[in-house]
Amino acid sequence: MLMMPTNLDFQPDLIRRFDVAGPRYTSYPTADRFRQDFRAADYAAALRERGQDTATPLSLYAHIPFCETLCYYCGCNKIPTKNHARSGPYLDQVEREMERVASLLGARLRATQLHWGGGTPTFLSDQEAGRLMEMTHRYFALQPGGEYSIEIDPRKVGKDRVAHLAALGFNRMSVGVQDFDPAVQQAVNRIQSVEETRDVIQAARANGFASVSIDLIYGLPRQNPFNFAATLEQVVDLRPDRVALYSYAHLPQRFTPQRRIDAADLPEPQAKLVLLGLAIRRLAHAGYVYIGMDHFALPDDELARAQREGQLHRNFQGYSTQADLDLLAFGVSGISKLGRHYIQNAKSLEAYGAALAAGELPVDRGLTLGDDDLMRRDAIQRLMCDFALDLQDLAQRHGLRDAQTYFAADLKRLEPLEQAGLLQRDGLALRVTPQGRLLVRVIAMQFDRHLHDAASLLQAPRYSRVI
């Protein structure tokens, strides 16, 4: 295997040339390939089978869809409401789902990873957060030393709340920021001060959180190099362990809240690229290393260490130091992964609640992966995490003899990327170059059989651009 690069080379001309629309590969095959004929009975069978493995730990996810204010850029499954009376009945439903899943597993399995996302998980009161954590402990054995993370809205969280979350067992925190400039905040309906953000991060440090991440978005309305540079300075001053730098994808036809954004306020593609370059240079100067797929971390952060040691993984929540664990997701729209199965819950509260009231698992759709899917999932995972892939080694792990013939079409599709300098090839060993790392999604797309299947192309979904 060729050694992976240790730096990032920002080349705007290359990015403009290969900035196509494509999946983010939080899963492979991607969620738009899930099928409606995957039903609750299929999930139940997968749970019974998984319950026989009591040695391997699980990853858990809970989706809290509520948030008090609507951020116009958001594409998440959320329910804006100021009515906090809605969260109690929702937790009743989540508890029914946990109870049903645990009964099918037939054992109180161990878990070493937990994430609460949303919406806004801190929409829950302290008492409700305690209740959700208590029910999680009742049905699963959370192990000491695991990764237990929560998404935080600093506008609604004070020092006492952070201390309570730490007492519940959370040790990692993702803090939503997006941008600190007042004009940008007004344009996206998210008003948040540097001071309240700093207070939350300092409280996390004081309460023993092992890692704090800040989320930023470039390409938002009214952003320009001057105000975004100021935001970057403020973020660097806060010194989070990680920074997630996402590209804003303006898809108002898919995400209704984005229709409230004036498209005339959005940076042009060239200006957006300037913002990205600005962020990369400033974060590099501050000592952050590029992990991949929008993520940066300090060199001593566990993600950076895991990548150096070839132990980095990806799941639906992003990069992780945990092995490729099976994931059980609870709540509306949650996506689970069990072996070769993906399962997505009902996307509306009404459908989710109705299924549980009928004693059923709230399955909306899913997918059972074939052997080719499993191998290509492995290939894309290694590209995203290691920026390197040995196709011969991949083939051997999956019982395939002739990798050269099997991947002939994929290698052919890679040739223009190789000629452009995005990757280097030594036989069947591939290495993403420093200038290709920002475009690793484009490289991964060449191994996506579903993207290149003739019938699939006729029904190709619309993805956001990779940059």
Side-chain angles (χ1 to χ4, degrees), residues 412-434:
K412 185 69 175 177
R413 287 192 293 267
L414 287 173
E415 286 180 0
L417 308 185
E418 183 181 0
Q419 292 167 3
L422 301 186
L423 74 155
Q424 294 176 349
R425 178 180 165 193
D426 181 4
L428 292 176
L430 310 176
R431 178 178 69 86
V432 182
T433 62

Side-chain angles (χ1 to χ4, degrees), residues 389-419:
L389 174 65
D390 189 322
L391 290 174
Q392 190 61 51
D393 178 66
L394 175 77
Q396 290 175 355
R397 291 201 307 272
H398 290 267
L400 180 68
R401 291 186 177 182
D402 188 357
Q404 181 73 51
T405 300
Y406 193 89
F407 291 106
D410 307 82
L411 292 170
K412 185 69 175 177
R413 287 192 293 267
L414 287 173
E415 286 180 0
L417 308 185
E418 183 181 0
Q419 292 167 3

Side-chain angles (χ1 to χ4, degrees), residues 325-370:
L325 301 178
D326 283 332
L327 167 68
L328 295 179
F330 299 96
V332 63
S333 77
I335 300 179
S336 300
K337 179 181 78 70
L338 283 180
R340 60 172 68 222
H341 309 287
Y342 292 126
I343 309 97
Q344 183 165 28
N345 281 350
K347 299 177 185 178
S348 72
L349 273 184
E350 294 74 18
Y352 177 73
L356 290 164
E360 297 288 339
L361 292 167
V363 174
D364 177 65
R365 57 181 184 157
L367 187 69
T368 298
L369 281 64

Side-chain angles (χ1 to χ4, degrees), residues 9 33 71 82 102 175 192 239 242 388 416 441 448 452 457:
D9 185 3
R33 309 295 173 181
C71 300
K82 294 187 182 299
V175 180
Q192 176 179 327
R239 200 63 176 175
R242 305 171 188 174
R441 284 167 64 185
D448 188 334
H452 300 283
L457 286 174

